[in-house]
Amino acid sequence: MTAAGDGPWLDDAAGRLVRPFTVSNGRTRPTVALDLVSQVMATGATPLGYLGPEHAQAIERCRVPVAVAEVAAHLKLPVAVTKVLLADLVDCGALTTKPPAFHHNPTDRALLEAVLDGLRRQL
């Protein structure tokens, strides 16, 4: 088992000792619209008030623009919990967010057909 200040509390047999919903104080909906590929980046502003260790880890990870999915993977938390944490940081001014830049129209028929063909080949 790792020490309390060494990262997430883990037990070799049990896994994470602090359940993900406790990290977000039981909240399941972020106050900011984020999807898996939304980009987040630290602003350099210091958040006021107490934030948990996962918040600090997220800020550290967001020193350069990074996707929400990548932050979730780094924190080893479910995406829903990560979105709540990132929304907390956006709300207090520690992070900024922007939607992903699509170079193609996401509803382009040719693109959607190519994705569908790829999925069919996988089945």
Side-chain angles (χ1 to χ4, degrees):
M1 191 158 78
T2 63
D6 292 344
W9 294 355
L10 299 173
D11 179 280
D12 292 335
R16 187 179 183 91
L17 297 178
V18 176
R19 297 295 177 226
F21 65 87
T22 61
V23 173
S24 64
N25 293 324
R27 295 172 293 143
T28 58
R29 297 192 194 278
T31 57
V32 176
L34 297 168
D35 61 27
L36 290 176
V37 293
S38 294
Q39 298 286 304
V40 289
M41 184 173 170
T43 62
T46 303
L48 298 175
Y50 173 77
L51 295 175
E54 289 84 1
H55 287 92
Q57 291 172 349
I59 291 172
E60 183 64 31
R61 186 67 179 168
C62 296
R63 294 202 182 277
V64 297
V66 62
V68 169
E70 188 173 339
V71 176
H74 177 75
L75 296 178
K76 297 180 179 139
L77 288 171
V79 173
V81 172
T82 302
K83 286 180 180 182
V84 172
L85 295 178
L86 294 175
D88 291 346
L89 294 169
V90 169
D91 290 344
C92 72
L95 289 183
T96 186
T97 182
K98 68 177 186 169
F102 287 107
H103 298 293
H104 304 285
N105 179 358
T107 58
D108 178 25
R109 184 176 179 91
L111 175 63
L112 294 174
E113 286 176 355
V115 169
L116 183 59
D117 289 341
L119 290 172
R120 284 182 179 147
R121 277 185 250 133
Q122 294 294 322
L123 298 176

